[in-house]
Amino acid sequence: MASIFSSFPSLKQVAPRLSRHFFTNQACQYDAVHLRAAKIQIPKSPFLRAFRSGCRQASTRSASRLSSTLITSSPLSSLSQTINVNTKTKSLFPIISDKVVAYWLLGSAASVFGIVVFGGLTRLTESGLSITEWKPVAGSLPPTNAADWDLEFAKYRSSPEFKHLNPHITLSEFRSIYYMEWTHRIWGRIVGISFLLPSIYFIARRKVSIPIAVKIVGITGLVGFQGVLGWWMVKSGLKDDLFAPGSHPRVSQYRLTAHLGTAFLCYTAMLWNGLSILREHKLLSNPLTAEKSLSLLRSPELKIFRRSVAALAVLVFCTAMSGGLVAGLDAGLIYNEFPMMGLGLTPPKSELFSDFYSHTPDRSDIWWRNMLENPSLVQLDHRILATATFTSVMGLWAYTKFSPTMKRMLPAGCRKGVHGVVGFLFLQVTLGISTLLYLVPLPLASAHQAGSLALLSWVIVLGSRTWVPGRASRLVTQKLIKLGTTPTRGGPTSSVLLNMSAGSAKRNSV
């Protein structure tokens, strides 16, 4: 070692400094080294210059590799880079849908609401079987002359409804029920066209986000499927082999309930997505306030409330579908009293589970066939579901009213939503009991059907205020990061993302 220093005197002077070069991060102290090099004059030799140049290049390469490894290996850095890339890259579809799309969806939902109520009137007036053919295009126009009316009337006279129910109907009376069913079908075609054509326009002109575009396509298919179900339902009332010989001609209660349920699903999807788009615009218009409200809804204390609202929506839907079975079997025309059913709260067990409705020798289907085909048990089931709905809504109201946690944390919009559900609940219960007591008069029965959809609508509104939208939450967080504001929900992820985004911006400016 002494011989090396004697051969190269300059190496002896820089040896301490070389050790610092080996055990110090040169990327962090590059400026300090240059300052000291500028003050200290070291004798220049070819070996020293080559050695120092090699050390600098090696340290620079290692620091660059370390920096790139840290950046690419961190998942938070990858997420931050993805956010930055997504904000710079212009997508073919917008981030959020236009408000016009939301208003169009809500208008379509109102049209579906109307056709559901009108469909109930068509059934109550025994008009649904007056048109015995399904011609989506040619059937768009009603008969225009006497010959056409005679032809349609002749087709109706060959149907089971005319033979068993309306053998004395006149041509003028036939025209009134014909126009009732024709209006219902035309309204359905208007709903389909007014949804299909704007859907194509909004998607082609990039007025909707990708998730909403997918949902709109699904709703469009559901609307078309609803039309097919409508004819499938009517067809069940045009053949004698689909119901007991000599009985009252009616459509299958299964097909009627399927038709009604699909209409409810179409309405719910339109209403929910329309409200979701408006809520996204409201949240992104003020991200700071939005983040605070979303953080409140995410709190574990409101978890039970959120799940209760979702379960309540399912319960209201099932109650409405049991009402479809009641309508299909005319079960509302028996036991017209409340809360009693005959001599007790329920009819006798032998009546509820009658062997008459079983179709197998071993009676293995006696339970489910009586639940779906026995008018007595179907009405009892509807009463039980309606009572469960009433109890659930009042229990949810009591929970929000008397729970100290709910009184402190529940947002005002959710509290008003609960009050709205309670109001529509009492209205629906009053209409249901009145319809039963007065032997299903036309105005009350139609209002009761509309009330079920109105109650479900308000539960959906409450759910839209309670539900935490994941996509909107991410957009709010990205906007806060872009504005340089820490999200109020806190957590290490949000802080690190914000710091890394700020650091990235600083490096780019340098």
Side-chain angles (χ1 to χ4, degrees):
M1 183 66 69
S3 61
I4 295 175
F5 286 133
S6 61
S7 302
F8 301 97
S10 300
L11 185 60
K12 184 177 181 179
Q13 298 178 11
V14 300
R17 193 163 291 119
L18 289 176
S19 64
R20 286 197 298 272
H21 276 286
F22 279 111
F23 297 100
T24 307
N25 191 341
Q26 296 298 320
C28 299
Q29 298 184 357
Y30 185 74
D31 295 335
V33 171
H34 274 277
L35 290 174
R36 289 195 298 268
K39 294 179 181 180
I40 302 174
Q41 298 295 332
I42 302 175
K44 299 179 179 180
S45 65
F47 176 78
L48 181 59
R49 284 196 298 268
F51 189 80
R52 292 188 64 180
S53 177
C55 290
R56 288 174 182 172
Q57 294 176 2
S59 62
T60 303
R61 288 194 299 269
S62 61
S64 177
R65 287 194 299 269
L66 179 60
S67 177
S68 62
T69 301
L70 290 175
I71 292 175
T72 57
S73 61
S74 174
L76 298 178
S77 300
S78 301
L79 180 59
S80 178
Q81 292 175 359
T82 303
I83 293 174
N84 292 334
V85 170
N86 290 338
T87 56
K88 294 179 182 179
T89 304
K90 186 176 180 180
S91 175
L92 294 177
F93 290 87
I95 297 177
I96 59 174
S97 302
D98 197 290
K99 279 188 176 182
V100 176
V101 179
Y103 298 139
W104 162 67
L105 285 171
L106 295 178
S108 300
S111 182
V112 174
F113 189 101
I115 196 175
V116 169
V117 176
F118 193 82
L121 289 173
T122 303
R123 182 192 58 80
L124 290 168
T125 56
E126 304 288 349
S127 304
L129 300 178
S130 58
I131 303 179
T132 59
E133 295 177 334
W134 189 47
K135 298 179 180 179
V137 178
S140 299
L141 295 177
T144 57
N145 51 53
D148 292 339
W149 278 113
D150 290 338
L151 180 61
E152 292 296 330
F153 192 34
K155 295 177 183 177
Y156 178 71
R157 286 198 298 266
S158 63
S159 67
E161 184 177 75
F162 177 84
K163 296 176 182 179
H164 301 286
L165 184 65
N166 296 325
H168 304 293
I169 190 173
T170 63
L171 180 59
S172 60
E173 294 172 339
F174 170 73
R175 286 184 178 183
S176 63
I177 63 174
Y178 185 95
Y179 274 121
M180 198 78 175
E181 172 64 11
W182 177 82
T183 303
H184 181 60
R185 295 192 183 191
I186 288 298
W187 196 338
R189 293 183 178 98
I190 293 174
V191 170
I193 295 174
S194 64
F195 198 86
L196 175 62
L197 296 182
S199 298
I200 297 174
Y201 172 79
F202 288 135
I203 295 176
R205 297 302 299 269
R206 307 295 192 266
K207 296 288 185 180
V208 295
S209 62
I210 294 179
I212 293 296
V214 174
K215 294 175 182 177
I216 286 177
V217 172
I219 297 174
T220 304
L222 194 62
V223 171
F225 180 66
Q226 169 72 352
V228 176
L229 277 180
W231 169 245
W232 184 59
M233 175 193 68
V234 171
K235 190 177 179 180
S236 66
L238 300 176
K239 294 183 178 181
D240 291 315
D241 57 348
L242 294 180
F243 47 87
S247 64
H248 188 294
R250 62 166 64 96
V251 298
S252 168
Q253 74 273 20
Y254 298 108
R255 301 186 186 187
L256 173 65
T257 305
H259 186 56
L260 179 66
T262 309
F264 270 54
L265 290 178
C266 289
Y267 172 80
T268 302
M270 294 173 182
L271 178 64
W272 179 268
N273 287 288
L275 294 175
S276 299
I277 294 174
L278 294 179
R279 191 184 186 195
E280 285 183 353
H281 280 275
K282 183 178 180 181
L283 291 174
L284 293 177
S285 63
N286 192 345
L288 290 175
T289 304
E291 185 60 34
K292 292 180 181 179
S293 63
L294 291 176
S295 298
L296 182 61
L297 291 176
R298 292 188 197 98
S299 59
E301 290 81 359
L302 296 181
K303 187 176 182 179
I304 297 178
F305 179 79
R306 293 196 304 269
R307 292 185 174 180
S308 299
V309 173
L312 180 61
V314 176
L315 181 59
V316 171
F317 180 83
C318 293
T319 305
M321 293 305 101
S322 71
L325 291 175
V326 171
L329 293 171
D330 289 331
L333 297 176
I334 60 175
Y335 292 112
N336 300 105
E337 53 190 343
F338 188 85
M340 307 298 289
M341 294 184 71
L343 299 178
L345 292 175
T346 64
K349 184 178 180 181
S350 58
E351 180 182 346
L352 294 177
F353 299 98
S354 173
D355 294 341
F356 174 78
Y357 298 97
S358 178
H359 293 179
T360 57
D362 59 352
R363 302 290 190 266
S364 59
D365 60 344
I366 190 173
W367 290 91
W368 69 267
R369 283 198 177 274
N370 275 276
M371 292 182 66
L372 299 176
E373 299 178 4
N374 185 344
S376 299
L377 186 54
V378 167
Q379 188 189 124
L380 178 61
D381 291 340
H382 187 60
R383 291 188 182 207
I384 293 174
L385 287 172
T387 304
T389 301
F390 179 83
T391 305
S392 301
V393 172
M394 297 311 298
L396 184 65
W397 172 81
Y399 179 59
T400 60
K401 180 72 174 178
F402 301 107
S403 172
T405 303
M406 290 295 101
K407 293 171 65 175
R408 184 181 70 256
M409 299 191 64
L410 190 65
C414 297
R415 194 178 305 277
K416 293 178 181 178
V418 173
H419 294 164
V421 171
V422 172
F424 277 103
L425 173 72
F426 276 96
L427 176 62
Q428 178 67 352
V429 169
T430 303
L431 289 172
I433 296 176
S434 301
T435 301
L436 184 67
L437 295 179
Y438 290 97
L439 296 176
V440 196
L442 182 63
L444 286 177
S446 179
H448 184 53
Q449 182 174 358
S452 65
L453 195 53
L455 177 60
L456 179 62
S457 303
W458 203 254
V459 175
I460 296 300
V461 171
L462 175 60
S464 69
R465 298 178 180 181
T466 307
W467 170 63
V468 181
R471 186 172 183 273
S473 299
R474 292 191 295 270
L475 293 176
V476 169
T477 302
Q478 293 177 13
K479 193 168 185 179
L480 288 176
I481 292 174
K482 187 176 180 180
L483 295 175
T485 306
T486 306
T488 56
R489 57 181 166 181
T493 303
S494 300
S495 302
V496 172
L497 277 174
L498 180 61
N499 294 333
M500 295 188 67
S501 178
S504 176
K506 185 177 180 181
R507 287 194 299 271
N508 292 335
S509 63
V510 173

